[in-house]
Amino acid sequence: MKTYRIAVYPGDGIGIEVTEEVVRVLEAVQDDTFKLDFTPIPWGGDYYMQHGRVTPENYLEILRPFDAIYLGALGDPARIPDHITLVPIVEIRQHFDQYACVRPAKLLPGVSSPLKTTEPIDLVVLRENSEGEYVSHGGRFKVGRPDETATQTSVHTRKGVERILRFGFEMARSRRQHLTMITKSNALKYGMVLWDEVLEAIKDEYPDVEADKQHVDAAAMNFVRCPEFFDVVVASNLFGDILSDLGGIIAGGLGLAPSANINPERAFPSMFESVHGSAPDIAGKGIANPIASILAAAMMLDWLHLPNPAEKIRDAVAKTLISGAKTPDLGGTLKTREMTDAIIQNL
């Protein structure tokens, strides 16, 4: 039996509620071939109120030895500004070189899309996760004055663009052999032209994958108009963040949208979470949809080379939704725990 060390970082709001359910599902799916050793990480808004910091100073050193990090959600806007509470997630992604943010959007059986389409929706937004807008390059000047100025410069490197594109090509090979790169080179003539040039330089190395590109505004339109066109979508940090939310909604809602922050070289732990945030408007009500977080746990198992239990979780989620069991965001009445109970029964 192999044991995997998992750092469980519930965070804030509904992150705490859904993470409890994720642990229940992961405990239920374990068998005599592997064990998950969970270590609770009590950081977030409450920790900040006690210590004046969201995390301890050495939090990256604490997380480094784990095989994976499971994150609930971060954000406690009633007490702490988001630009403070969200610092750890950015630093984890950068320091652990989790440059591939994988965000699938798949319309599951038993779920309705807000789009009037009979075509399948099954795409993955692959977001560059280490540079772009995550590089703190800019500043504010003459703060508080009428002529105050703020600059925020995104930074793109050839290395960063090439490695996320290559990751995307490899992923497309395992799916439907189609990659779409998102650009805006008609207006952003430095950073986005670099993306265009790198795509042209490497795409012939993947003759089995059809590669094209779309400007981000056209891609947003086409996500709604013809989502079945897309397979693997590779985008910069900002564009990928926006399109992955849109992808989640057209596939039934953010309560169903998982996410993974991957270090492909496995030199550092990767981190798994839902696309949605801490949802302070419903926190504490027990009605949050746990499916996105549970599917993120399945992605974690895949990454740990445990495909069978990962597939069991996905099958159980599908069976549960087909049966009509749903939380309020999907038009149902089940509480968070009741929804998880139904999924566990279908494992």
Side-chain angles (χ1 to χ4, degrees):
M1 178 184 292
K2 185 169 182 179
T3 299
Y4 300 88
R5 297 186 61 201
I6 311 299
V8 180
Y9 183 179
D12 307 299
I14 65 168
I16 298 170
E17 301 167 40
V18 295
T19 300
E20 290 178 359
E21 307 310 313
V22 166
V23 171
R24 291 178 61 215
V25 171
L26 289 173
E27 288 176 339
V29 82
Q30 290 180 81
D31 55 31
D32 58 2
T33 65
F34 74 100
K35 178 183 178 182
L36 302 176
D37 182 10
F38 301 110
T39 299
I41 305 293
W43 305 332
D46 289 341
Y47 188 93
Y48 181 90
M49 301 308 293
Q50 296 176 15
H51 303 280
R53 295 177 53 91
V54 179
T55 64
E57 289 187 21
N58 64 335
Y59 78 99
L60 292 170
E61 297 173 29
I62 294 172
L63 293 173
R64 174 66 182 86
F66 286 93
D67 295 301
I69 303 164
Y70 188 87
L71 175 66
L74 298 182
D76 192 350
R79 298 189 293 178
I80 313 162
D82 278 347
H83 71 271
I84 293 176
T85 49
L86 297 183
V87 165
I89 194 171
V90 175
E91 291 187 343
I92 290 170
R93 288 167 173 169
Q94 287 186 318
H95 284 268
F96 291 158
D97 212 16
Q98 298 168 350
Y99 61 84
C101 184
V102 183
R103 294 185 165 183
K106 183 176 182 178
L107 185 60
L108 299 173
V111 176
S112 298
S113 170
L115 304 182
K116 294 182 179 179
T117 178
T118 58
E119 298 292 335
I121 299 174
D122 183 5
L123 61 91
V124 176
V125 176
L126 187 55
R127 170 193 182 195
E128 201 295 314
N129 210 32
S130 66
E131 47 186 52
E133 289 69 31
Y134 273 176
V135 180
S136 296
H137 195 289
R140 294 177 63 182
F141 312 94
K142 300 181 180 180
V143 177
R145 292 170 54 174
D147 56 346
E148 180 176 349
T149 301
T151 64
Q152 189 84 47
T153 303
S154 60
V155 176
H156 308 275
T157 67
R158 181 171 290 274
K159 172 185 175 182
V161 175
E162 181 172 338
R163 67 183 185 176
I164 194 66
L165 279 171
R166 290 191 182 279
F167 189 89
F169 274 110
E170 294 297 335
M171 178 180 290
R173 280 178 163 170
S174 67
R175 288 175 50 88
R176 302 195 305 278
Q177 295 81 49
H178 182 199
L179 179 144
T180 303
M181 190 197 75
I182 306 303
T183 184
K184 190 58 180 170
S185 51
N186 58 346
L188 305 175
K189 64 181 182 180
Y190 301 124
M192 288 296 107
V193 167
L194 174 62
W195 279 75
D196 290 359
E197 291 176 352
V198 174
L199 177 66
E200 288 300 315
I202 70 172
K203 68 178 185 179
D204 289 345
E205 298 178 35
Y206 303 89
D208 52 328
V209 176
E210 178 187 357
D212 54 43
K213 64 183 180 181
Q214 293 190 17
H215 291 306
V216 64
D217 45 340
M221 174 186 71
N222 288 328
F223 264 43
V224 174
R225 187 175 67 90
C226 51
E228 69 278 3
F229 171 84
F230 297 99
D231 180 18
V232 175
V233 179
V234 183
S236 65
N237 195 309
L238 179 60
F239 293 167
D241 197 18
I242 294 168
L243 289 177
S244 60
D245 273 23
L246 180 55
I249 289 297
I250 65 173
L254 291 189
L256 302 169
S259 177
N261 306 273
I262 300 295
N263 171 243
E265 294 74 26
R266 298 180 184 267
F268 303 97
S270 293
M271 180 168 63
F272 302 84
E273 57 179 322
S274 61
V275 172
H276 68 67
S278 60
D281 56 322
I282 62 170
K285 297 181 180 180
I287 60 172
N289 188 343
I291 290 179
S293 300
I294 291 169
L295 292 177
M299 294 179 75
M300 181 179 74
L301 294 179
D302 278 326
W303 184 247
L304 295 174
H305 301 300
L306 298 167
N308 291 335
E311 194 61 26
K312 286 181 181 179
I313 290 175
R314 284 188 285 266
D315 286 346
V317 168
K319 290 177 183 177
T320 305
L321 290 170
I322 291 171
S323 74
K326 295 177 182 177
T327 44
D329 60 307
L330 299 178
T333 60
L334 294 187
K335 298 281 190 176
T336 307
R337 179 155 288 249
E338 293 169 338
M339 188 71 191
T340 309
D341 287 340
I343 292 170
I344 291 174
Q345 288 174 7
N346 281 317
L347 278 174

